[in-house]
Amino acid sequence: TRREERTSGQIGAAGAAFVGMQRGRERGMQPKVLVVDDDRQVLELLSTLLTRAGYAVRTAPGAVEAMEILESEDLGAVVLDIMMPVRSGIEVLEHMRWNPKLAEMPVVILSAAQLTKEEQEFVDEFSAGFVDKTRIMDVLTHLKTIFATAASNAGGVSTGA
């Protein structure tokens, strides 16, 4: 399927990121994940959850801040809310997919909203997964899968963070 094809490409980029993360871990660094959501409570919850799971976490309260971080920092993955003021998560994902530096970065979509058919097709094609906010703990499962698959493809062994 398109999602499987896209995910394999994202895993390739994540594989390269994983090799860098493995070197970083040897120096005490952690896999870095950007969490983007306009809900401060969601940012705090995911930041705490992912930090406790061993990830280094950057947060952005909106799309504009997220794009600045994406352009300036090396990240392993992004957790991205769809419904945000000013610019949507779909716009951020479109920006990422058209930017050669960011095109293969794994993105887990997070939303409480029901997606339109067009949004769902876009998310299916260009993201590594979708998590409904009522099942927010599933974000961790998606990230562990992304990084474990990347480790496997890079020849390493990992359980995620």
Side-chain angles (χ1 to χ4, degrees), residues 58 125 139 142 159:
R58 286 282 280 136
E125 184 169 354
V139 167
H142 280 279
T159 58

Side-chain angles (χ1 to χ4, degrees), residues 40-52:
R40 186 177 56 83
Q41 289 180 321
V42 171
L43 282 179
E44 290 175 4
L45 174 63
L46 282 172
S47 181
T48 299
L49 174 70
L50 298 178
T51 300
R52 288 182 180 169

Side-chain angles (χ1 to χ4, degrees), residues 111-112 131-137:
S111 187
V131 175
D132 186 289
K133 283 189 178 179
T134 62
R135 300 186 48 89
I136 203 161
M137 298 293 285

Side-chain angles (χ1 to χ4, degrees), residues 14-30:
F18 174 79
V19 172
M21 287 185 299
Q22 284 298 92
R23 291 184 192 121
R25 279 188 183 165
E26 293 167 6
R27 290 179 250 139
M29 296 171 61
Q30 305 157 305

Side-chain angles (χ1 to χ4, degrees), residues 40-119:
R40 186 177 56 83
Q41 289 180 321
V42 171
L43 282 179
E44 290 175 4
L45 174 63
L46 282 172
S47 181
T48 299
L49 174 70
L50 298 178
T51 300
R52 288 182 180 169
Y55 296 97
V57 179
R58 286 282 280 136
T59 60
V64 174
E65 298 88 347
M67 287 192 277
E68 290 172 2
I69 293 169
L70 285 164
E71 294 292 338
S72 64
E73 296 187 27
D74 291 324
L75 301 162
V78 177
V79 177
L80 179 63
D81 184 23
I82 291 287
M83 303 298 291
M84 295 184 289
V86 184
R87 296 184 76 177
S88 73
I90 293 288
E91 291 176 88
V92 174
L93 189 55
E94 287 174 336
H95 169 79
M96 291 177 69
R97 294 307 170 233
W98 289 106
N99 180 325
K101 176 186 169 200
L102 305 172
E104 300 299 324
M105 182 169 301
V107 177
V108 176
I109 298 295
L110 180 67
S111 187
Q114 184 77 326
L115 301 180
T116 66
K117 181 181 177 193
E118 292 79 21
E119 288 172 331

